């Protein structure tokens, strides 16, 4: 119980990057990728920060929930985010013979399928229905259920900074379409990795990213997380101290919450302690799988403790 669907994902292997760990992705046809870290390219991007384009009618993408991953995911409500215009191909749902309803939202840019039963894999095929159509551009897929529970939407691009997502012109539309109840924004590691880290630029980019998100979800609480302690090259990166201070400054300005991973880890130099317990990758910049699982547990426990305090405070207000 409590699993409301896998949520928003991007099938990264279609364009030569990594997929979410709990999804298996296959594709046919030629696909060209574009990412928000490629500042020299002009492409239409959204929440995923990347897109996949094909000019081949008949090209396909299939996504399957990995059986070994627990909890397993199935879905009966699928939204495919893609460009919709007179010049773009349409899509069809393959390998599913049961009844389903189709809804196309040309304003927010998605095709939705509501299935008669839950499934754990889905395949879409690009179809050309008019001579004016010449391409298909995928922005992401949301795999959901109509059951109650938590839906976890996630996006991220390897090497992306806060400013990278300012290039995503469709971000507001996609956030609005997903209607989140809570938004977590995590930047700083890539922003402060270089020796010439500019605090002013980072503060500007993070502040304006929050503004973009709030245009789509003005009343939704936002949590900022600080980067953890990490290495740059062969020594701990002192810029993470400054990046954490910037995030606190922005949080005060924009009235968001903060989860201080830098402090939770133990502060500057603590990455070496984490490395001793096999919680870091060899570069001491990324975490190991074991480390990422621990981070998820720590953040979840911090949320539960804060929520308990909130409930207790509300209870005292009622008694008073």
């Amino acid at each position: 119980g409590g699993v409301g669907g896998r949520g928003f994902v991007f099938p990264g292997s279609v364009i030569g990057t990594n997929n979410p760990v709990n999804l298996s992705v296959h594709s046919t046809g030629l696909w060209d990728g574009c990412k928000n870290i490629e500042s020299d390219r002009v492409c239409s991007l959204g929440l995923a920060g990347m897109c996949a384009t094909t000019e081949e009618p008949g090209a396909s993408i299939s996504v399957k929930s990995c059986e070994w991953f627990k909890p397993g995911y199935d879905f009966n409500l699928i939204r495919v985010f893609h460009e919709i215009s007179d010049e773009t191909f349409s899509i069809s749902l393959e390998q599913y013979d049961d009844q389903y309803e189709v809804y196309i939202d040309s304003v927010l840019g998605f095709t939705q399928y509501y299935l008669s039963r839950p499934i754990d894999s889905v395949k879409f095929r690009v179809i050309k229905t008019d001579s004016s159509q010449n391409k298909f551009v995928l922005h992401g897929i949301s795999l959901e259920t109509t059951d109650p529970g938590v839906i976890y939407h996630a996006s991220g691009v390897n090497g992306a900074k806060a400013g990278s997502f300012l290039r995503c012109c469709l971000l507001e539309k996609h956030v609005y379409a997903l209607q989140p109840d809570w938004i977590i924004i995590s930047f700083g590691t890539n922003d402060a990795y270089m020796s010439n880290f500019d605090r002013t630029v980072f503060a500007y980019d993070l502040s304006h990213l929050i503004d973009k998100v709030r245009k789509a979800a003005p009343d939704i609480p936002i949590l900022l997380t600080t980067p953890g302690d990490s290495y740059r090259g062969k020594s701990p990166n002192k810029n993470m101290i400054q990046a954490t201070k910037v995030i606190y400054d922005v949080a005060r300005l924009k009235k968001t919450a903060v989860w201080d991973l830098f402090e939770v880890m133990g502060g500057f130099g603590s990455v070496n302690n984490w490395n001793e317990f096999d919680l870091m990758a060899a570069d001491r910049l990324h975490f190991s799988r074991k480390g990422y699982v621990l981070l998820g547990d720590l953040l979840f426990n911090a949320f539960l403790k804060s929520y308990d305090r909130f409930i207790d405070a509300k209870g005292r207000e009622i008694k008073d």
Side-chain angles (χ1 to χ4, degrees), residues 27-46:
S27 63
T28 64
L30 295 177
W31 295 83
D32 177 52
C34 184
K35 305 176 184 177
N36 59 9
I37 59 173
E38 301 171 302
S39 57
D40 59 335
R41 297 187 62 182
V42 178
C43 46
S44 179
L45 299 171

Side-chain angles (χ1 to χ4, degrees), residues 188-203:
T189 301
N190 293 328
D191 303 80
Y193 184 76
M194 305 306 294
S195 59
N196 60 344
F197 169 56
D198 191 322
R199 291 185 51 169
T200 303
V201 171
F202 180 42

Side-chain angles (χ1 to χ4, degrees), residues 8 39 76 81 94 99 111 120 132 138 175 180 187 193 195 207 228 259 261 295:
F8 184 88
S39 57
N76 68 330
F81 289 82
E94 301 282 309
Q99 292 183 343
T111 297
D120 65 0
S132 63
L138 176 71
V175 171
F187 286 100
Y193 184 76
S195 59
S207 296
W259 184 59
L261 174 58
L295 292 184

Side-chain angles (χ1 to χ4, degrees), residues 218-230:
D219 301 318
I220 304 305
I222 294 176
L223 172 69
L224 303 182
T225 74
T226 72
D229 189 42
S230 61

